[in-house]
Amino acid sequence: MAIATLMSSCCQSPEIESSVPAKMVNGTVVLETPARAEGQTSALQMACEPIDTVRVGFVGLGGRGYSAVGRYLQVPGTKITAICDKYPEKVSAAQEMLKENGFPKAAEYTGDEGYKQLCEDPNVDLVYICTPWLLHTPIAVYAMEHGKHAATEVPAATTIEECWQLVNTCERTRKHCMMLENCCYDFFEMTCLNMAQQGVFGEIYHAEGAYLHNLDPFWPHYEDNWRLDFNQKHRGDNYPTHGLGPICQILDIHRGDKMDYLVAMDSDSYRGAARGKEFMGTDEFEDGDHTVSLIRTHNGHQIEIQHNVYAPRPYSRIFQLTGTNGYACKYPEPVFAVEPDPENFADKETFDALCKLYEHPISAEYEEKAKEVGGHGGMDYIMDCRLIHCLRNGLPLDEDVYDAAEWSCIAELSRISIKNGSVPVQVPDFTRGDWNEIQGFHHSGF
């Protein structure tokens, strides 16, 4: 459909290709917000009954899942009670790790639907999901429906419809659903969060994040080419949350601000198409090599998110903050430029002093052990410890179900914008109007 024809439409258009009902209103794609079901209430700042020892069941024991089991051997207040994978040999490998470290054997489940048995296991409090993307939402929903808290690897959902499934299930069952966005717990991002909350940068009006990571060395290791297959079939920013998550927390998204609308565009596919041909034998490839999404918030702030997993270039999440009083950026080297000299980068002595002065209390508490245990430099371990700390103390999570939905939804929103000539697309308000009820609530209850 021509852009002019599309923009003149103000009714349902099947060519928008959205997973939920959508229409064009004054040149912007507007997605339908389903009404909250009767008796269902908001999960903002939701706290659940404390759990003294959190019994954890792991679903998916590939690279991420296997390493998560290893970390949880050293997370206080937990017990690994169940493990599951489609393939029995992966379950056996995880059992062997438990045995070698002096831990009791966990209940084990295998097969395509073994996760259902794990979710039904009465000796599990938390289901920790490390499967391919398309299984994240189905397993998380099944876990919550069976009385379990759910923690899922990123992205939590691949469509807007799935985002609403997570939100509605969490609100209805009153069980937590956390997306395991580990980059929110990286040391530099946590320091910047603390600096932002203390006003060091002033009003932060522009932020940039990204996932720029050449995956050439990793494509052969994804079982059945599942990750490349997803990109081959789906255009847009299919992996937005590493760059977006820390920024949303700093900008207090759904805690005093909200994302209003997005526009996106991409390049043609070059190296992505070549990898699709090499590993999958296909001549078609949907995902452009480089995707850029621009988001404007209700309070007039701007977010730029980039995605490129094909280019032979250095890794970067960019992580850049521009405020009225200062600036921060993580790549290629972490820097600050703040008062009294915001026009120049702080020298090493000043940089180190700022990092020490504004080290986040959570980072300070877990830093030594986190660097010993590892997991992306320790941020995985901090994320795990914070999740368990909140569950054991009956606290709201640092990353709640609305974060999971809002950060994940960028994939489909960018796809809709690109396929319709880079038109604006309204970002759904998954809080259904409650985004301004809580001001600046992040990483509390320490």
Side-chain angles (χ1 to χ4, degrees), residues 116-127:
K116 292 184 177 180
Q117 295 172 285
L118 183 143
C119 292
E120 295 164 2
D121 189 329
N123 292 314
V124 172
D125 302 305
L126 170 67
V127 177

PDB file of all heavy atoms in Angstrom, residues 116-127:
ATOM      1  N   LYS A 116       6.018 -28.240  31.136  1.00  0.00           N
ATOM      2  CA  LYS A 116       4.719 -28.234  31.807  1.00  0.00           C
ATOM      3  C   LYS A 116       4.785 -29.021  33.110  1.00  0.00           C
ATOM      4  O   LYS A 116       4.233 -28.592  34.134  1.00  0.00           O
ATOM      5  CB  LYS A 116       3.638 -28.803  30.880  1.00  0.00           C
ATOM      6  CG  LYS A 116       3.334 -27.920  29.681  1.00  0.00           C
ATOM      7  CD  LYS A 116       2.185 -28.482  28.858  1.00  0.00           C
ATOM      8  CE  LYS A 116       1.830 -27.548  27.706  1.00  0.00           C
ATOM      9  NZ  LYS A 116       0.716 -28.062  26.890  1.00  0.00           N
ATOM     10  N   GLN A 117       5.455 -30.161  33.058  1.00  0.00           N
ATOM     11  CA  GLN A 117       5.604 -30.950  34.278  1.00  0.00           C
ATOM     12  C   GLN A 117       6.412 -30.192  35.327  1.00  0.00           C
ATOM     13  O   GLN A 117       6.092 -30.235  36.517  1.00  0.00           O
ATOM     14  CB  GLN A 117       6.275 -32.289  33.955  1.00  0.00           C
ATOM     15  CG  GLN A 117       5.447 -33.200  33.058  1.00  0.00           C
ATOM     16  CD  GLN A 117       6.247 -34.417  32.627  1.00  0.00           C
ATOM     17  OE1 GLN A 117       7.121 -34.336  31.766  1.00  0.00           O
ATOM     18  NE2 GLN A 117       5.962 -35.552  33.250  1.00  0.00           N
ATOM     19  N   LEU A 118       7.449 -29.493  34.889  1.00  0.00           N
ATOM     20  CA  LEU A 118       8.237 -28.712  35.839  1.00  0.00           C
ATOM     21  C   LEU A 118       7.385 -27.606  36.466  1.00  0.00           C
ATOM     22  O   LEU A 118       7.437 -27.371  37.676  1.00  0.00           O
ATOM     23  CB  LEU A 118       9.466 -28.119  35.147  1.00  0.00           C
ATOM     24  CG  LEU A 118      10.426 -27.322  36.041  1.00  0.00           C
ATOM     25  CD1 LEU A 118      11.878 -27.551  35.620  1.00  0.00           C
ATOM     26  CD2 LEU A 118      10.110 -25.824  36.012  1.00  0.00           C
ATOM     27  N   CYS A 119       6.590 -26.919  35.648  1.00  0.00           N
ATOM     28  CA  CYS A 119       5.735 -25.841  36.162  1.00  0.00           C
ATOM     29  C   CYS A 119       4.669 -26.368  37.122  1.00  0.00           C
ATOM     30  O   CYS A 119       4.192 -25.635  37.999  1.00  0.00           O
ATOM     31  CB  CYS A 119       5.061 -25.097  35.012  1.00  0.00           C
ATOM     32  SG  CYS A 119       6.198 -24.128  33.986  1.00  0.00           S
ATOM     33  N   GLU A 120       4.296 -27.623  36.968  1.00  0.00           N
ATOM     34  CA  GLU A 120       3.294 -28.232  37.835  1.00  0.00           C
ATOM     35  C   GLU A 120       3.912 -28.840  39.097  1.00  0.00           C
ATOM     36  O   GLU A 120       3.187 -29.246  40.006  1.00  0.00           O
ATOM     37  CB  GLU A 120       2.537 -29.311  37.054  1.00  0.00           C
ATOM     38  CG  GLU A 120       1.716 -28.748  35.892  1.00  0.00           C
ATOM     39  CD  GLU A 120       1.281 -29.815  34.892  1.00  0.00           C
ATOM     40  OE1 GLU A 120       1.587 -31.010  35.131  1.00  0.00           O
ATOM     41  OE2 GLU A 120       0.669 -29.463  33.868  1.00  0.00           O
ATOM     42  N   ASP A 121       5.233 -28.875  39.155  1.00  0.00           N
ATOM     43  CA  ASP A 121       5.936 -29.477  40.283  1.00  0.00           C
ATOM     44  C   ASP A 121       5.694 -28.639  41.549  1.00  0.00           C
ATOM     45  O   ASP A 121       6.018 -27.448  41.585  1.00  0.00           O
ATOM     46  CB  ASP A 121       7.438 -29.538  39.971  1.00  0.00           C
ATOM     47  CG  ASP A 121       8.228 -30.345  40.987  1.00  0.00           C
ATOM     48  OD1 ASP A 121       7.837 -30.371  42.177  1.00  0.00           O
ATOM     49  OD2 ASP A 121       9.254 -30.933  40.596  1.00  0.00           O
ATOM     50  N   PRO A 122       5.139 -29.213  42.611  1.00  0.00           N
ATOM     51  CA  PRO A 122       4.860 -28.446  43.830  1.00  0.00           C
ATOM     52  C   PRO A 122       6.121 -27.994  44.564  1.00  0.00           C
ATOM     53  O   PRO A 122       6.041 -27.141  45.453  1.00  0.00           O
ATOM     54  CB  PRO A 122       4.046 -29.421  44.679  1.00  0.00           C
ATOM     55  CG  PRO A 122       4.432 -30.771  44.194  1.00  0.00           C
ATOM     56  CD  PRO A 122       4.688 -30.614  42.725  1.00  0.00           C
ATOM     57  N   ASN A 123       7.288 -28.538  44.196  1.00  0.00           N
ATOM     58  CA  ASN A 123       8.532 -28.170  44.860  1.00  0.00           C
ATOM     59  C   ASN A 123       9.299 -27.077  44.109  1.00  0.00           C
ATOM     60  O   ASN A 123      10.513 -26.939  44.270  1.00  0.00           O
ATOM     61  CB  ASN A 123       9.425 -29.407  45.014  1.00  0.00           C
ATOM     62  CG  ASN A 123       8.835 -30.408  45.989  1.00  0.00           C
ATOM     63  OD1 ASN A 123       8.386 -30.027  47.072  1.00  0.00           O
ATOM     64  ND2 ASN A 123       8.831 -31.673  45.614  1.00  0.00           N
ATOM     65  N   VAL A 124       8.591 -26.310  43.285  1.00  0.00           N
ATOM     66  CA  VAL A 124       9.193 -25.199  42.542  1.00  0.00           C
ATOM     67  C   VAL A 124       8.444 -23.915  42.874  1.00  0.00           C
ATOM     68  O   VAL A 124       7.217 -23.870  42.836  1.00  0.00           O
ATOM     69  CB  VAL A 124       9.146 -25.466  41.017  1.00  0.00           C
ATOM     70  CG1 VAL A 124       9.580 -24.227  40.234  1.00  0.00           C
ATOM     71  CG2 VAL A 124      10.026 -26.659  40.652  1.00  0.00           C
ATOM     72  N   ASP A 125       9.197 -22.859  43.213  1.00  0.00           N
ATOM     73  CA  ASP A 125       8.622 -21.528  43.452  1.00  0.00           C
ATOM     74  C   ASP A 125       8.857 -20.590  42.272  1.00  0.00           C
ATOM     75  O   ASP A 125       8.034 -19.733  41.981  1.00  0.00           O
ATOM     76  CB  ASP A 125       9.247 -20.878  44.692  1.00  0.00           C
ATOM     77  CG  ASP A 125       9.069 -21.698  45.946  1.00  0.00           C
ATOM     78  OD1 ASP A 125       7.919 -22.034  46.268  1.00  0.00           O
ATOM     79  OD2 ASP A 125      10.091 -22.005  46.613  1.00  0.00           O
ATOM     80  N   LEU A 126      10.000 -20.753  41.613  1.00  0.00           N
ATOM     81  CA  LEU A 126      10.422 -19.859  40.535  1.00  0.00           C
ATOM     82  C   LEU A 126      10.835 -20.687  39.321  1.00  0.00           C
ATOM     83  O   LEU A 126      11.679 -21.571  39.428  1.00  0.00           O
ATOM     84  CB  LEU A 126      11.611 -18.996  41.004  1.00  0.00           C
ATOM     85  CG  LEU A 126      12.330 -18.173  39.939  1.00  0.00           C
ATOM     86  CD1 LEU A 126      11.425 -17.063  39.402  1.00  0.00           C
ATOM     87  CD2 LEU A 126      13.639 -17.588  40.494  1.00  0.00           C
ATOM     88  N   VAL A 127      10.247 -20.378  38.177  1.00  0.00           N
ATOM     89  CA  VAL A 127      10.622 -21.035  36.920  1.00  0.00           C
ATOM     90  C   VAL A 127      11.543 -20.089  36.155  1.00  0.00           C
ATOM     91  O   VAL A 127      11.164 -18.958  35.830  1.00  0.00           O
ATOM     92  CB  VAL A 127       9.394 -21.389  36.069  1.00  0.00           C
ATOM     93  CG1 VAL A 127       9.823 -22.007  34.742  1.00  0.00           C
ATOM     94  CG2 VAL A 127       8.486 -22.342  36.832  1.00  0.00           C
TER      95      VAL A 127
END
